[in-house]
Every structure is written in structure tokens, then in C-alpha cells.
Amino acid sequence: MKKILLLFILNSMTLASSYPYRSSVINKGAFQFDFGVLYSVTGAAFDSEGTEVELEEETGYQLIDSSVRIDYGFNPNLQLGADVIFRQLESETTTDVISSSGIESFAVHAKYEGKGSRKNKYAFELSYRMTAYSNEYYLNRSDIPVSDDVNLGDDGQSILLSFLYDRVISRASHLEFSLAYHLPPNDLSAEIPYSLAYVYKGQTIAFAGGVEGIYSLGLDEFEQNPGDKPVSDFGVTSRYNSINRELMSVFGRLNLKLSNKYLLSGKVSQVMSGVSTDKATNFLVSLTYNAGGTSSSQTFENKFKEYSTEATIIKVSPRGVFFKLDKGLSSDVVKGARADIYKSDYFGENVLLGSGFIYESGPDWSIVKVVKKFKRLPIEKGYTVRIK
């Protein structure tokens, strides 16, 4: 029975790894690589009034975005990163099929994780993106020259400031929320991207489902006279050069933890409503590799890993703040000494649960007061306390 209970505890400890909190940063000194492929296909369009408009027969638009992102754990609260996107697209009219490809954009990122709490976790992320191309614009569509390719997207620079929040429900589930302020490229109106999802996670598999979208602040200068806006060749799509674009989509995500370093993820989303954009279906597959770095508990443990003696917990207070040990002054366990609590088990695991100090000491006993916990596990009778 004890072995079964220990196995359950070990599984619970690794639940979060199959779906890391979006508000968390990687460990200090760690490198993380993300490789993603997004396939998006347009099924219809939404006009400036939000009315769905069917595409003409034998026409269509689809794209593939391949991305590579690298992040570095600068310190325990700050993560820095950069990415590049390569885009391939195909626009089909009733008379021709035109393909275009090339590097779409580069971006740099910085994420800061706030202090938060066990139940509420948050972070801020700032991203700056610049396209690798520039488009030609014309006053009238008839002025657009005949070409063998179409634009890759909206050109220019963009800035995105995001607030990321996770609300922990239980060891196996949490709510994931984000709200951002976006200054898009191509002089489009400022907008508010958002997302809300419910996450259920197991030891190696995690599921998430929710909604995400864009709310426009309605600042486009051509809102009252859309016919005056300069045009360019984007193909059979309404997702670019839009006026006060908005959209709302539903999505589902599946994560599979391949090992302690590799995470495979798949996401499917469908745009349900929108303004001046496409009704698109999106499929995303990504692989994440994380290596190196040191967690805060590991840093603490390495710093204080030389101990003078160790004892065993023989009694736990009702609130779990004070613990009685089986050693005292006769074993050089003196008042005020640093004490670290470890969980050892049949499997040879040695996990640092928390730290404190010797609150009181007698001839063959002592009392420990815990001041900091590193794991969301109860400290129990029989656990080891190592004393500095």
C-alpha cells in the first residue's frame, strides 16, 4: 500500500511537465528550442460588417508557416528569446494558381514571471516583430501589375505586450488566460488579442480546450471610407490589409511528453466569427526541446548541500509548520541552525521539499520550523532533515 501511495505522489509531482504553465519561465541557464508547423486553409471570408461571404467556386487560399524559436533562461524570473518564420502560401483563382514563399518575419521576446502564489501565477511578455519584406500599394486594384507571386502578408513592424495568467484548480488542472495589447504591422488598428482555456494534465498526456481571438480598438483611419484604402496583391484572402479586423475561434490542444526534454504538441482551431478576415481552419504541430538550467530549489540545494548531520522527523504539528526530530544537542543540533527537509523513498529519490531552522533543541530531540517550501507535497513523519 505504501508503494502504491508513493507512486501516486511521484506521478503528481510530474503532472505539470506535460503542460507547463504559460506564465512560467524556463530555468536559469536553460535553453529551449521550439519547432512548429502551422497549416491554415481559408473556407470563407468575413466582410467589414461581420457577414460571412462564401468563396467563389474553384478558388481558395492556404498557407504553411514553419517556425523556429530559441529561448534562454537569463535568471529565475526572466526569459529571453527570438524566432524566425518561413511562409509558403498558395492562392487559387478561377484561372490560375499562384504560389509564394520566403522568410516572413523575425522577432525577439522577453518574458518576466511575477512572484504569484500556489494558486495564482502570472507573467508579462513583450515581443517585437519585423517582416523580412515590404509590399507595394496602389490606389486602385486595376493598377496592380500582373505577377507570378502574391504578398506573404502584412508588412512592417509590430509590438505585442501580453499579460499571462494561470489559475490552479488542482494538481491535474488549471485555467489559462491571456490578454494583450497589439500594435500590428501595415498601419492596422491597435487591437486586443485574448485567450481562455481549461487544461487537464496527466503524467505524460495533457488536454486543453478554449477560445481565442482578437478585439479591435476600431482605430483604422479608413473605417468610414474603406474604398480609399490603398490595395496590394494578397491573393484570395481577407486576412491581410484589413480594416478593424476581429475574430473569435475555438481550439483544442493535445500535449504528449516524450521525455524530460521533449514535448510534442498538436493544436486545431476554427474561426467561428470575425470582421474583415478569413474564416480559417488551422492545424499546428510543434516539438519543444529543453535542456540545461537549474531550478530555484536545485540552486538552493547546491548552495547548502554540505551538512553536519541528519535526523528523522518523528512528529508533525497539525498545521505542518513545526516538526520534532530524533536528534538534539548530543548530536550537535543547536538552536538557529539551518535545516533542509528531504523526501526519500524506496526508489532512491531524494527530493528537497522545504527549508527552515532549528526552533528549539533538547538533549536528544529538536524542533524545526519550516519557512519555505519548494514542493506542493505534505511533509510527513519519517522524512529526513539535514542540518547545516
Side-chain angles (χ1 to χ4, degrees), residues 158-174:
S158 64
I159 298 175
L160 179 68
L161 176 62
S162 303
F163 171 71
L164 311 172
Y165 173 75
D166 292 295
R167 170 66 180 181
V168 179
I169 300 174
S170 68
R171 290 182 180 178
S173 63
H174 70 270

Side-chain angles (χ1 to χ4, degrees), residues 349-364:
E349 187 178 32
N350 197 33
V351 180
L352 177 63
L353 299 182
S355 66
F357 63 93
I358 302 301
Y359 185 78
E360 189 176 348
S361 184
D364 56 1

Side-chain angles (χ1 to χ4, degrees), residues 68-71 80-85 103-110 126-132 158:
V68 178
R69 174 167 172 164
I70 180 172
D71 287 285
L80 303 176
D83 74 64
V84 59
I85 298 175
I103 295 177
E104 196 278 330
S105 63
F106 305 89
V108 290
H109 315 274
L126 178 64
S127 300
Y128 172 81
R129 184 173 298 278
M130 172 65 76
T131 59
S158 64

Side-chain angles (χ1 to χ4, degrees), residues 155-345:
D155 60 328
Q157 61 184 2
S158 64
I159 298 175
L160 179 68
L161 176 62
S162 303
F163 171 71
L164 311 172
Y165 173 75
D166 292 295
R167 170 66 180 181
V168 179
I169 300 174
S170 68
R171 290 182 180 178
S173 63
H174 70 270
L175 289 176
E176 181 181 83
F177 171 74
S178 71
L179 192 67
Y181 179 76
H182 186 209
L183 292 173
N186 193 19
D187 296 322
L188 301 182
S189 169
E191 53 194 25
I192 307 294
Y194 62 88
S195 69
L196 176 65
Y198 172 78
V199 179
Y200 183 82
K201 49 200 173 186
Q203 181 178 359
T204 57
I205 298 178
F207 305 90
V211 297
E212 59 187 4
I214 297 172
Y215 173 77
S216 176
L217 294 180
L219 303 177
D220 197 295
E221 61 179 307
F222 297 99
E223 179 181 11
Q224 301 302 323
N225 301 290
D228 295 339
K229 186 165 188 173
V231 294
S232 192
D233 189 3
F234 293 98
V236 187
T237 180
S238 298
R239 65 180 76 195
Y240 309 121
N241 205 38
S242 56
I243 297 178
N244 296 332
R245 67 176 174 185
E246 292 189 343
L247 65 86
M248 187 280 290
S249 63
V250 295
F251 71 89
R253 179 173 174 177
L254 171 65
N255 281 9
L256 178 62
K257 178 188 171 187
L258 303 179
S259 70
N260 289 332
K261 295 184 178 181
Y262 290 94
L263 180 67
L264 182 65
S265 179
K267 178 181 176 182
V268 180
S269 64
Q270 173 65 57
V271 177
M272 305 300 294
S273 62
V275 174
S276 194
T277 191
D278 283 0
K279 183 178 183 180
T281 304
N282 306 298
F283 305 89
L284 173 65
V285 177
S286 61
L287 178 66
T288 301
Y289 171 77
N290 187 295
T294 306
S295 66
S296 59
S297 60
Q298 290 172 327
T299 300
F300 179 89
E301 185 175 5
N302 292 337
K303 185 176 181 180
F304 299 101
K305 62 183 179 180
E306 295 182 359
Y307 302 100
S308 60
T309 187
E310 67 177 48
T312 301
I313 296 176
I314 57 176
K315 189 175 182 180
V316 181
S317 69
R319 296 182 60 185
V321 177
F322 293 93
F323 307 94
K324 188 174 183 178
L325 307 182
D326 62 352
K327 291 184 179 180
L329 294 173
S330 61
S331 300
D332 296 325
V333 179
V334 297
K335 183 177 180 180
R338 181 181 297 275
D340 297 332
I341 301 97
Y342 286 81
K343 171 182 177 296
S344 302
D345 56 37

